């Protein structure tokens, strides 16, 4: 079996072990990487498998956060609020998909990009429900001390990431995944051979919304305060794309690997050069597209690894 097939189970097992020994800082990073993995996998369902450049991830994430937040402020238990938010966002994504998925290329990208802006303005204006620009305070969950709360939200976000990974794996092996790959290769040809392209795209878009909405709902409870500029931030649409590109677009485990690598870069490098953060994001995208279009799953890296092992083996024989 290929080495990368063991990467994700190993990472998930490591994250599980962190729950027993980690401090709050490590738990925060682990929770964040789970959220990133879920968002990258969410984007990959429509952007990777179908090849549609969606920028709606921030819209789905923010809508999930606000739906869950409003429901909790009105007395609904957090578990039911999270579930309702995920499914309402999936419904919204399905309806949105029926409206804009007939567009292609940059037309679709622009249409999906403005959705977050529209929802941000609605959240700013609907003061009686969302708190407007002042934001929304969520009720604190009675989960014990600070360490127990951090552990709980880590576990909750880990569940979202695992569900996203399992969903991606199922889609990849199903008729839906086959249809999406046909659409990505040539949508017109897919229509000729009988693929219901509209149904496949809308389904993938709804599933993408379901994952991002669930992540947004858990995030809202985790931080206990949300505002439109935070949860509808455009970077929440850009970052998942970079993560998927890093790990491998259109693969099951690639977005998760990309999320881990991205968070490492974010923590170790970009926080030290915050004023150039946006510029570094743009440079990274260009480099990925030009030189590593297949991400870390790229076969060229595997060939380089095999070559390096053969060279090291030969040198070992010479020294022996």
């Amino acid at each position: 079996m290929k080495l990368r097939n063991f990467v994700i189970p190993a990472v998930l097992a490591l994250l599980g072990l962190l729950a027993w020994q980690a401090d709050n800082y490590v738990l925060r990073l682990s929770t964040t990487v789970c959220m990133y993995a879920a968002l990258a996998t969410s984007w990959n369902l429509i952007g990777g498998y179908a090849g549609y450049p969606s920028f709606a991830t921030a819209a789905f994430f923010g809508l999930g956060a606000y739906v869950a937040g409003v429901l909790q402020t009105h007395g609904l238990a957090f578990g039911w609020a999270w579930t309702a938010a995920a499914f309402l966002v999936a419904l919204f994504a399905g309806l949105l998909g029926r409206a804009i998925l007939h567009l292609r290329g940059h037309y679709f990208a622009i249409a999906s990009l403005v959705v977050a802006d529209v929802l941000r303005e609605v959240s700013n204006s609907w003061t009686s429900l969302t708190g407007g620009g002042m934001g929304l305070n969520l009720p604190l969950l009675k989960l014990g001390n600070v360490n127990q709360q951090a552990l709980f939200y880590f576990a909750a976000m880990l569940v979202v990431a695992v569900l996203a990974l399992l969903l991606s794996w199922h889609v990849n092996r199903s008729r839906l995944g086959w249809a999406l790959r046909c659409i990505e290769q040539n949508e017109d040809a897919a229509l000729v051979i009988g693929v219901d392209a509209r149904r496949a795209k809308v389904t993938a878009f709804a599933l993408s919304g379901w994952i991002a909405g669930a992540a947004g709902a858990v995030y809202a409870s985790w931080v206990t305060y949300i505002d439109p500029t935070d949860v509808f931030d455009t970077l929440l649409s850009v970052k998942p794309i970079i993560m998927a590109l890093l790990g491998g677009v259109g693969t099951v485990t690639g977005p998760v690997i990309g999320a881990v690598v991205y968070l490492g870069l974010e923590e170790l490098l970009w926080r030290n050069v915050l004023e150039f953060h946006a510029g570094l994001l743009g440079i990274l995208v260009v480099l990925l597209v030009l030189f590593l279009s297949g991400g870390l799953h790229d076969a060229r890296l595997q060939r380089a690894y095999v070559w390096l092992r053969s060279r090291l083996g030969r040198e070992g024989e010479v020294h022996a």
Side-chain angles (χ1 to χ4, degrees), residues 3 9 38 43 52 64-65 67 81 90 114 125 161 165 167 185 217 233 250 255 272 312:
L3 179 62
W43 179 87
Y52 269 65
V67 170
V114 301
S125 303
L165 181 63
L167 179 61
Q185 291 294 322
D233 188 355
N272 297 321
L312 291 176

Side-chain angles (χ1 to χ4, degrees), residues 228-240:
T229 58
D230 176 31
V231 295
F232 292 113
D233 188 355
T234 303
L235 283 177
L236 289 171
S237 289
V238 176
K239 288 181 178 180

Side-chain angles (χ1 to χ4, degrees), residues 143-165:
L143 301 170
N145 57 36
V146 174
N147 292 333
Q148 291 172 331
Q149 291 185 21
L151 179 58
F152 172 79
Y153 287 116
F154 160 72
M157 200 68 81
L158 178 61
V159 169
V160 174
V162 171
L163 289 176
L165 181 63

Side-chain angles (χ1 to χ4, degrees), residues 1-319:
M1 296 181 65
K2 295 179 179 180
L3 179 62
R4 64 171 179 251
N5 293 333
F6 297 97
V7 172
I8 298 305
V11 170
L12 294 178
L14 179 61
L15 289 176
L17 291 174
L18 287 174
W20 299 99
Q21 299 293 334
D23 57 21
N24 286 338
Y25 173 73
V26 176
L27 279 174
R28 181 184 67 80
L29 291 183
S30 301
T31 306
T32 303
V33 79
C34 288
M35 183 181 76
Y36 281 175
L39 294 179
T41 302
S42 166
W43 179 87
N44 193 55
L45 289 174
I46 187 69
Y49 292 148
Y52 269 65
S54 173
F55 286 88
T57 308
F60 299 152
F61 180 87
L63 184 59
Y66 263 101
V67 170
V70 169
L71 290 176
Q72 288 183 70
T73 56
H74 284 76
L76 191 64
F78 68 88
W80 290 109
W82 294 353
T83 303
F87 282 100
L88 285 175
V89 174
L91 177 61
F92 171 80
L95 295 174
L96 177 66
R98 292 182 66 87
I100 68 173
L101 278 169
H102 64 281
L103 302 173
R104 300 186 187 181
H106 56 278
Y107 296 106
F108 171 77
I110 294 172
S112 64
L113 180 63
V114 301
V115 177
D117 292 331
V118 172
L119 292 177
R120 186 189 304 116
E121 292 304 316
V122 171
S123 300
N124 273 318
S125 303
W126 202 345
T127 307
S128 60
L129 183 67
T130 65
M134 297 297 293
L136 184 68
N137 289 298
L138 278 70
L140 294 174
L141 303 184
K142 298 179 180 179
L143 301 170
N145 57 36
V146 174
N147 292 333
Q148 291 172 331
Q149 291 185 21
L151 179 58
F152 172 79
Y153 287 116
F154 160 72
M157 200 68 81
L158 178 61
V159 169
V160 174
V162 171
L163 289 176
L165 181 63
L166 292 175
L167 179 61
S168 178
W169 176 81
H170 176 71
V171 168
N172 185 57
R173 295 170 60 90
S174 66
R175 288 182 59 86
L176 174 60
W178 174 81
L180 293 174
R181 293 188 184 283
C182 289
I183 293 169
E184 192 273 334
Q185 291 294 322
N186 190 319
E187 187 168 348
D188 293 328
L191 293 171
V192 171
I193 63 175
V195 173
D196 190 343
R198 185 182 186 188
R199 180 178 179 181
K201 291 185 295 183
V202 170
T203 301
F205 210 48
L207 293 175
S208 176
W210 182 79
I211 296 171
V218 176
Y219 172 82
S221 296
W222 179 32
V223 299
T224 70
Y225 170 80
I226 55 175
D227 66 81
T229 58
D230 176 31
V231 295
F232 292 113
D233 188 355
T234 303
L235 283 177
L236 289 171
S237 289
V238 176
K239 288 181 178 180
I241 300 175
I242 297 175
M243 295 172 205
L245 288 170
L246 271 171
V249 173
T251 64
V252 175
T253 58
V256 182
I257 297 171
V260 175
V261 174
Y262 180 90
L263 182 65
L265 292 173
E266 194 172 53
E267 284 295 313
L268 297 176
L269 176 62
W270 293 342
R271 295 198 186 282
N272 297 321
V273 285
L274 188 61
E275 63 273 18
F276 301 112
H277 185 267
L280 286 174
L281 284 177
I283 294 172
L284 181 58
V285 171
V286 173
L287 293 176
L288 287 170
V289 172
L290 291 178
F291 302 109
L292 199 62
S293 59
L296 297 178
H297 276 259
D298 198 308
R300 285 174 294 181
L301 291 182
Q302 296 179 23
R303 291 198 295 269
Y305 173 71
V306 172
W307 177 84
L308 181 60
R309 284 193 60 183
S310 65
R311 295 290 298 177
L312 291 176
R314 291 175 182 175
E315 292 179 4
E317 292 175 0
V318 171
H319 289 300

